[in-house]
Amino acid sequence: MTSKYSPEEFLRVLERELAAIADDVMQVRPSECLVCYVYRLCGLECTGPELIEEYQRRAAPRSTRLLERLQGLGASCACELFFNVYQPLEGFIAIPIEVYVASPEMCAELGIAEPSIPYDADPMPGFPCLGVRKGSTQPCSLWRRHALLGTWKH
């Protein structure tokens, strides 16, 4: 059986398809807040500031000092958004944080039990962001500021 594409054409088509899929995944859901967006896409895994910048580009382009403002609160990257600035409402996430943070390799490095939920599982299946107004960079009402910086309450 022969393909209608040469190997080079096949790779270009595949790259376009993968780029379209990635763009779909990266879309901000209607009225989705910054914190839910970052958490939905990376859990507590650190991706640097890229997801924060992507949210700004897609949902809040007028918020030109977003990263600077978050850095002032202690979040210069995605994971610090959760470890230093925002935490879920009391009782909202009852699963220990290491379930979301740790890959099998990280578990071994940290000396903790491997997660009971697959590492690549969606950390918020069916997670409904409570929504914010268009262009807002504030969290929805599922999140609150940390009482003590650097302290995660779970």
Side-chain angles (χ1 to χ4, degrees), residues 46-105:
C46 191
T47 61
E50 287 80 11
L51 285 178
I52 295 168
E53 293 167 338
E54 188 67 20
Y55 181 90
Q56 177 187 352
R57 186 181 70 75
R58 291 175 181 261
R62 296 180 71 188
S63 183
T64 57
R65 296 182 56 185
L66 173 61
L67 194 55
E68 185 178 321
R69 181 173 57 85
L70 290 173
Q71 287 170 338
L73 296 172
S76 59
C77 62
C79 69
E80 288 178 351
L81 192 62
F82 306 103
F83 291 116
N84 296 339
V85 183
Y86 296 110
Q87 65 186 41
L89 289 177
E90 198 69 37
F92 181 70
I93 297 178
I95 299 171
I97 193 170
E98 57 268 9
V99 169
Y100 297 121
V101 173
S103 65
E105 296 79 23

Side-chain angles (χ1 to χ4, degrees), residues 22 24-25 32 37 42 59 66 69-70 80 87 91 96 100 111 116 140 146:
D24 285 346
V25 169
E32 186 173 36
Y37 174 79
C42 74
L66 173 61
R69 181 173 57 85
L70 290 173
E80 288 178 351
Q87 65 186 41
Y100 297 121
S116 56
C140 72
H146 278 288

